[in-house]
Amino acid sequence: MRAAPYACLLAAGIIAVLVTSGFADQQQQLLEELQQRVRNHFGALQGQPIALFGANYHIGDTWDPSMTRLVFSSDRCFKGLKARESQFAIPPFHMNTDASVGFFLRLKRMFDLGASGTQAEIVDISFEDVTEEVVEEAELKERFDAAQCAALGPVIGSKIVGDDVPPVVIGHLYRGKRRILLTYANEFDASARLDQLASVAGLSAGAFVRVRSGKGLLISDNSPVNLAFLPAFVPVKSSGTLGDGDGGSVTYMWTAFDLENHPSQASVLADLTQQVDANWFSTEQDK
């Protein structure tokens, strides 16, 4: 008879694990849906830029193929690099869950809060003061310091680089302020969510929260952040075949990014997007 309470505890524990696992699966599904929505939205823009939302990229920087490790700073490889800056428009769009707040601000705990709480009736995403920085291919080649960044020589010179995919040079960078308006069913829901969001660590680092109206919350960046990027050069398979245990290999040659004249580069851009997506949202972003 005394074993019954332990059996109950064990059963409760199993249920808790299953519930937690189920919620984690739901969160992952929601994350993938949000990423796909944003990917489609930015993919429809001219040039098909890859969404970032806060990643610490600079024009002319060189990143590893996973887009997570800075290999060379722009100042090291391209001293005195000059980029052209112009206004750029990113159309607004709608999301159907306030988990998108944490998603757009790269705050894991805020995403968890939205994913587990009551959905807002309307989530409007817009972008303000957006600019596009572009650096010319000729400018990159002219400013390139081969002595400081010898590993980039084949990339800048459009030469074959072997079977290792070389790093990525940032050629276009889009910056602006994220503006997220959440509208709830009533003022009570809005006030309750405001209290929860205001308590999330990191919210004040790059954004502010305030009640816009009785039923609405507005979250916006204080200053422009990185929104999207495009590479200056992309790898193109030069020769060889992918080996499946047979010792096969592939060599790559890097060419200037030009999607209009070279549509086949779209597949490379898709691969790069997947790399960014894979590292876009993690607990490491919630400082």
Side-chain angles (χ1 to χ4, degrees):
M1 297 295 292
R2 292 183 178 179
Y6 295 99
C8 291
L9 288 174
L10 179 59
I14 293 174
I15 292 173
V17 169
L18 292 175
V19 170
T20 301
S21 176
F23 179 62
D25 291 341
Q26 291 175 357
Q27 282 188 304
Q28 182 61 32
Q29 181 180 357
L30 177 57
L31 174 60
E32 292 173 357
E33 290 175 355
L34 291 175
Q35 284 180 324
Q36 187 62 51
R37 284 287 308 280
V38 176
R39 187 185 305 127
N40 292 343
H41 189 76
F42 277 75
L45 300 177
Q46 182 179 1
Q48 300 180 22
I50 301 171
L52 288 171
F53 303 119
N56 190 24
Y57 293 179
H58 296 274
I59 199 80
D61 279 353
T62 302
W63 289 76
D64 76 315
S66 71
M67 303 306 296
T68 60
R69 180 173 60 86
L70 180 63
V71 179
F72 299 118
S73 68
S74 175
D75 292 340
R76 173 186 287 270
C77 299
F78 308 100
K79 293 181 176 64
L81 187 66
K82 297 178 181 178
R84 183 179 65 189
E85 183 174 306
S86 58
Q87 297 298 309
F88 189 82
I90 300 177
F93 64 111
H94 302 286
M95 307 292 270
N96 61 359
T97 170
D98 58 6
S100 58
V101 178
F103 178 72
F104 272 80
L105 299 183
R106 293 173 65 94
L107 292 173
K108 179 67 164 59
R109 279 189 286 174
M110 188 179 290
F111 176 86
D112 291 342
L113 182 65
S116 62
T118 303
Q119 292 184 346
E121 287 191 336
I122 303 174
V123 182
D124 295 298
I125 310 294
S126 58
F127 307 92
E128 299 179 336
D129 303 329
V130 180
T131 58
E132 176 191 34
E133 294 180 37
V134 182
V135 62
E136 294 180 353
E137 178 187 356
E139 176 79 2
L140 286 169
K141 293 185 175 181
E142 179 182 342
R143 300 285 180 178
F144 178 60
D145 189 338
Q148 289 291 325
C149 306
L152 274 185
V155 176
I156 302 301
S158 299
K159 298 179 180 179
I160 294 176
V161 295
D163 57 1
D164 291 328
V165 180
V168 179
V169 179
I170 305 297
H172 293 66
L173 193 62
Y174 303 83
R175 294 175 52 80
K177 297 178 182 179
R178 302 160 295 187
R179 185 178 183 275
I180 308 172
L181 176 62
L182 301 95
T183 304
Y184 292 89
N186 54 65
E187 185 174 349
F188 176 81
D189 289 343
S191 297
R193 182 59 82 192
L194 174 62
D195 291 339
Q196 291 176 311
L197 294 180
S199 66
V200 175
L203 183 59
S204 61
F208 64 90
V209 179
R210 63 183 174 90
V211 177
R212 183 174 186 266
S213 64
K215 298 190 296 183
L217 302 180
L218 177 65
I219 302 176
S220 176
D221 288 300
N222 284 320
S223 57
V225 299
N226 290 339
L227 298 175
F229 86 102
L230 282 170
F233 307 93
V234 295
V236 174
K237 188 192 302 183
S238 175
S239 64
T241 58
L242 286 174
D244 186 13
D246 58 0
S249 63
V250 177
T251 57
Y252 293 91
M253 179 175 181
W254 277 58
T255 60
F257 178 74
D258 186 353
L259 197 59
E260 182 176 353
N261 293 317
H262 301 285
S264 62
Q265 292 183 345
S267 62
V268 178
L269 199 64
D271 291 341
L272 201 56
T273 300
Q274 292 294 335
Q275 290 290 345
V276 173
D277 281 355
N279 298 284
W280 187 3
F281 187 76
S282 69
T283 54
E284 294 178 358
Q285 298 299 329
D286 193 8
K287 303 296 185 182

PDB file of all heavy atoms in Angstrom, residues 61 72 92 103 122 171 240:
ATOM      1  N   ASP A  61      33.565  42.575 -43.579  1.00  0.00           N
ATOM      2  CA  ASP A  61      34.012  41.542 -42.648  1.00  0.00           C
ATOM      3  C   ASP A  61      34.051  40.183 -43.343  1.00  0.00           C
ATOM      4  O   ASP A  61      33.291  39.922 -44.280  1.00  0.00           O
ATOM      5  CB  ASP A  61      33.059  41.436 -41.454  1.00  0.00           C
ATOM      6  CG  ASP A  61      33.324  42.486 -40.393  1.00  0.00           C
ATOM      7  OD1 ASP A  61      34.336  43.213 -40.508  1.00  0.00           O
ATOM      8  OD2 ASP A  61      32.532  42.572 -39.443  1.00  0.00           O
ATOM      9  N   PHE A  72      38.249  37.533 -40.290  1.00  0.00           N
ATOM     10  CA  PHE A  72      39.013  38.769 -40.472  1.00  0.00           C
ATOM     11  C   PHE A  72      38.059  39.952 -40.366  1.00  0.00           C
ATOM     12  O   PHE A  72      36.968  39.923 -40.945  1.00  0.00           O
ATOM     13  CB  PHE A  72      39.690  38.824 -41.846  1.00  0.00           C
ATOM     14  CG  PHE A  72      40.678  37.738 -42.116  1.00  0.00           C
ATOM     15  CD1 PHE A  72      40.469  36.840 -43.153  1.00  0.00           C
ATOM     16  CD2 PHE A  72      41.829  37.608 -41.350  1.00  0.00           C
ATOM     17  CE1 PHE A  72      41.380  35.835 -43.420  1.00  0.00           C
ATOM     18  CE2 PHE A  72      42.749  36.600 -41.609  1.00  0.00           C
ATOM     19  CZ  PHE A  72      42.529  35.716 -42.642  1.00  0.00           C
ATOM     20  N   PRO A  92       6.230  46.048 -44.370  1.00  0.00           N
ATOM     21  CA  PRO A  92       5.764  45.439 -43.113  1.00  0.00           C
ATOM     22  C   PRO A  92       5.035  44.139 -43.386  1.00  0.00           C
ATOM     23  O   PRO A  92       4.636  43.855 -44.514  1.00  0.00           O
ATOM     24  CB  PRO A  92       4.813  46.502 -42.554  1.00  0.00           C
ATOM     25  CG  PRO A  92       4.294  47.198 -43.768  1.00  0.00           C
ATOM     26  CD  PRO A  92       5.440  47.215 -44.743  1.00  0.00           C
ATOM     27  N   PHE A 103      11.640  36.271 -31.004  1.00  0.00           N
ATOM     28  CA  PHE A 103      12.300  35.819 -32.227  1.00  0.00           C
ATOM     29  C   PHE A 103      13.018  36.972 -32.910  1.00  0.00           C
ATOM     30  O   PHE A 103      14.194  36.864 -33.271  1.00  0.00           O
ATOM     31  CB  PHE A 103      11.254  35.211 -33.142  1.00  0.00           C
ATOM     32  CG  PHE A 103      11.779  34.752 -34.471  1.00  0.00           C
ATOM     33  CD1 PHE A 103      12.582  33.632 -34.570  1.00  0.00           C
ATOM     34  CD2 PHE A 103      11.460  35.434 -35.634  1.00  0.00           C
ATOM     35  CE1 PHE A 103      13.062  33.197 -35.802  1.00  0.00           C
ATOM     36  CE2 PHE A 103      11.921  35.012 -36.857  1.00  0.00           C
ATOM     37  CZ  PHE A 103      12.731  33.897 -36.947  1.00  0.00           C
ATOM     38  N   ILE A 122      -3.143  40.538 -32.977  1.00  0.00           N
ATOM     39  CA  ILE A 122      -2.439  41.018 -34.165  1.00  0.00           C
ATOM     40  C   ILE A 122      -1.006  41.346 -33.776  1.00  0.00           C
ATOM     41  O   ILE A 122      -0.763  41.979 -32.749  1.00  0.00           O
ATOM     42  CB  ILE A 122      -3.100  42.282 -34.751  1.00  0.00           C
ATOM     43  CG1 ILE A 122      -4.578  42.016 -35.095  1.00  0.00           C
ATOM     44  CG2 ILE A 122      -2.347  42.747 -35.993  1.00  0.00           C
ATOM     45  CD1 ILE A 122      -5.315  43.259 -35.544  1.00  0.00           C
ATOM     46  N   GLY A 171      29.231  41.773 -48.403  1.00  0.00           N
ATOM     47  CA  GLY A 171      29.251  42.779 -49.460  1.00  0.00           C
ATOM     48  C   GLY A 171      28.090  43.745 -49.424  1.00  0.00           C
ATOM     49  O   GLY A 171      28.197  44.869 -49.922  1.00  0.00           O
ATOM     50  N   GLY A 240      35.054  18.098 -59.833  1.00  0.00           N
ATOM     51  CA  GLY A 240      34.936  17.005 -58.887  1.00  0.00           C
ATOM     52  C   GLY A 240      33.496  16.641 -58.606  1.00  0.00           C
ATOM     53  O   GLY A 240      32.552  17.270 -59.069  1.00  0.00           O
TER      54      GLY A 240
END
